Amino acid sequence: MILKVYTSLLLLFLVNSVWTRTVRQVYDDLDPGHWSHYTSECPQECFCPPSFPNALYCDNKGLKEIPPIPARIWYLYLQNNQIETISEKPFANATHLRWINLNKNKITNSGIENGVLSKLKRLLYLFLEDNELEEVPAPLPVGLEQLRLARNKISKIPEGVFSHLENLTMLDLHQNSLLDSALQSDTFQGLNNLMQLNIAKNSLKKMPLSIPANTLQLFLDNNSIEVIPENYFTAIPKVTFLRLNYNKLSDDGIPPNGFNVSSILDLQLSHNQLTKIPPINAHLEHLHLDHNKIKSVNGTQMCPVSIALEEDYGYYGNVPRLRYLRLDGNEIQPPIPLDVMICFRLLQAVVI
């Protein structure tokens, strides 16, 4: 499952990069006289690459409105313009759209015509980062797989906006204006296949309620969270990557064994107010505790299994899997105690 997440994200990056390079090559190398077959119905302001007839590039054109989209288009690039509205008319024939990038425009909620997005039945990826939205737009296409709304002004999530998005795997809301009151117990209801939830850089003071059970990656950096509720992670038993950097967590705000969760492989607690290392699970592989107030490291106390028992089992027993430990920016003086190395035999890097 984790490999699948990495592969999907990497594939998206590579596909976009390859298209960009190939499009430029086509633009430079082909005889313009050969373009006519490929550019029929292509908006004058945009570029329709002959080798990718399903893609339409209208980015960085100074556009103030969306041009008419040809019926054959699957991938639409409109980023870095001055677009303020999304109306139904330009999409009248665009019934096959899979991907829309509208990042870095001037779109507001009032500028989105009612129902226009939900009518894009085949849309899988919707990017609306760096706009002027004040709430999550609704209604949305039911088949959506990725929704990226980072760096807007979102302070409100309409009730039921995600209730029918069963295929959504990534929801990015980082760097908005969300308060705890915006995240109700049913806010994420319906997101049964969500794998990545990013609510970093908002104004949360509490851990969000009712995170979807299948969530693998939960990013909550740069908030003001002080407390982890008892048994919080029981409701998200698959969480693997947890980021809580730049919050206000103290020792008193973490319950006993709060992070002793077998599913968590990467735990990031940098830039908090911890004075000691919280109990961890033997499955944990990466631990970031830099820039806290930790004064010392006791390997015997930190070790998630008995060191004596570990020696009995040997290398093939229940050896803790920690490979990376970051402790710089604390009050710890080197060297690292020997019992830390005895416990965590798989450690490849310690930063202190």
Side-chain angles (χ1 to χ4, degrees):
M1 181 64 73
I2 298 170
L3 180 60
K4 181 180 179 182
V5 175
Y6 280 136
T7 303
S8 299
L9 295 177
L10 180 60
L11 180 60
L12 289 177
F13 173 78
L14 291 176
V15 168
N16 194 37
S17 300
V18 170
W19 278 359
T20 301
R21 290 195 299 270
T22 306
V23 165
R24 300 308 175 195
Q25 292 170 359
V26 169
Y27 186 85
D28 292 338
D29 298 341
L30 287 184
D31 183 349
H34 296 160
W35 293 357
S36 58
H37 175 70
Y38 300 100
T39 58
S40 61
E41 301 180 347
C42 184
Q44 184 177 2
E45 311 93 324
C46 307
F47 174 52
C48 299
S51 59
F52 295 100
N54 298 121
L56 178 60
Y57 289 82
C58 307
D59 50 311
N60 298 288
K61 301 295 184 181
L63 300 179
K64 294 187 177 180
E65 59 183 26
I66 299 173
I69 311 303
R72 69 175 186 276
I73 299 303
W74 286 26
Y75 307 97
L76 177 59
Y77 296 87
L78 289 160
Q79 66 269 28
N80 291 300
N81 283 292
Q82 304 294 318
I83 297 169
E84 297 181 358
T85 62
I86 304 176
S87 60
E88 186 174 339
K89 185 176 179 180
F91 299 103
N93 298 317
T95 57
H96 297 283
L97 276 174
R98 305 293 203 275
W99 175 306
I100 298 178
N101 189 333
L102 275 160
N103 291 345
K104 295 187 178 180
N105 279 281
K106 296 184 177 181
I107 298 167
T108 61
N109 288 95
S110 60
I112 302 176
E113 186 175 335
N114 187 37
V116 61
L117 296 175
S118 63
K119 291 179 181 178
L120 302 174
K121 303 294 185 182
R122 300 188 182 185
L123 194 66
L124 302 178
Y125 303 91
L126 178 58
F127 300 168
L128 282 165
E129 298 179 343
D130 296 285
N131 277 278
E132 298 179 12
L133 299 172
E134 295 183 352
E135 61 182 69
V136 175
L140 292 163
V142 295
L144 211 57
E145 294 183 3
Q146 287 193 19
L147 178 60
R148 301 185 184 224
L149 299 169
R151 294 177 298 277
N152 277 275
K153 303 174 183 178
I154 296 173
S155 61
K156 180 181 178 182
I157 301 178
E159 184 177 356
V161 67
F162 303 128
S163 60
H164 300 295
L165 303 186
E166 294 186 0
N167 295 326
L168 199 72
T169 59
M170 176 189 288
L171 175 58
D172 191 344
L173 289 163
H174 89 269
Q175 200 165 332
N176 277 284
S177 303
L178 292 170
L179 300 170
D180 296 318
S181 57
L183 305 180
Q184 301 298 315
S185 60
D186 59 351
T187 295
F188 300 113
Q189 185 175 345
L191 299 179
N192 299 328
N193 289 295
L194 193 70
M195 291 190 289
Q196 184 184 108
L197 178 59
N198 191 341
I199 326 178
K201 294 189 177 182
N202 278 278
S203 300
L204 304 180
K205 294 183 179 180
K206 300 178 181 179
M207 295 292 285
L209 301 172
S210 300
I211 300 297
N214 286 319
T215 302
L216 296 174
Q217 301 178 330
L218 179 58
F219 303 148
L220 292 164
D221 314 76
N222 292 90
N223 281 284
S224 298
I225 297 171
E226 299 179 355
V227 176
I228 306 295
E230 191 85 30
N231 300 319
Y232 181 83
F233 299 105
T234 303
I236 42 176
K238 298 181 181 180
V239 64
T240 305
F241 300 91
L242 178 62
R243 293 199 331 220
L244 280 159
N245 303 320
Y246 291 95
N247 277 281
K248 296 182 179 180
L249 289 171
S250 64
D251 301 328
D252 293 337
I254 300 175
N257 294 310
F259 293 119
N260 188 0
V261 180
S262 61
S263 65
I264 298 178
L265 303 183
D266 191 301
L267 176 59
Q268 300 191 19
L269 298 169
S270 305
H271 293 272
N272 278 279
Q273 299 172 12
L274 302 175
T275 64
K276 59 184 180 182
I277 297 175
I280 59 174
N281 193 272
H283 291 89
L284 188 67
E285 297 183 2
H286 295 83
L287 178 59
H288 298 245
L289 287 167
D290 56 287
H291 297 91
N292 277 275
K293 299 178 180 180
I294 301 170
K295 296 182 178 180
S296 62
V297 180
N298 185 316
T300 303
Q301 293 178 356
M302 179 184 175
C303 194
V305 300
S306 167
I307 292 180
L309 184 62
E310 183 183 344
E311 290 176 347
D312 290 340
Y313 279 122
Y315 197 85
Y316 300 100
N318 189 28
V319 176
R321 301 177 186 178
L322 193 67
R323 289 172 168 80
Y324 180 87
L325 175 61
R326 185 170 177 183
L327 292 166
D328 55 305
N330 284 284
E331 301 175 29
I332 304 169
Q333 297 297 321
I336 291 292
L338 180 61
D339 54 0
V340 172
M341 309 310 294
I342 293 174
C343 172
F344 300 107
R345 303 182 187 182
L346 302 182
L347 262 177
Q348 298 175 354
V350 181
V351 183
I352 189 170

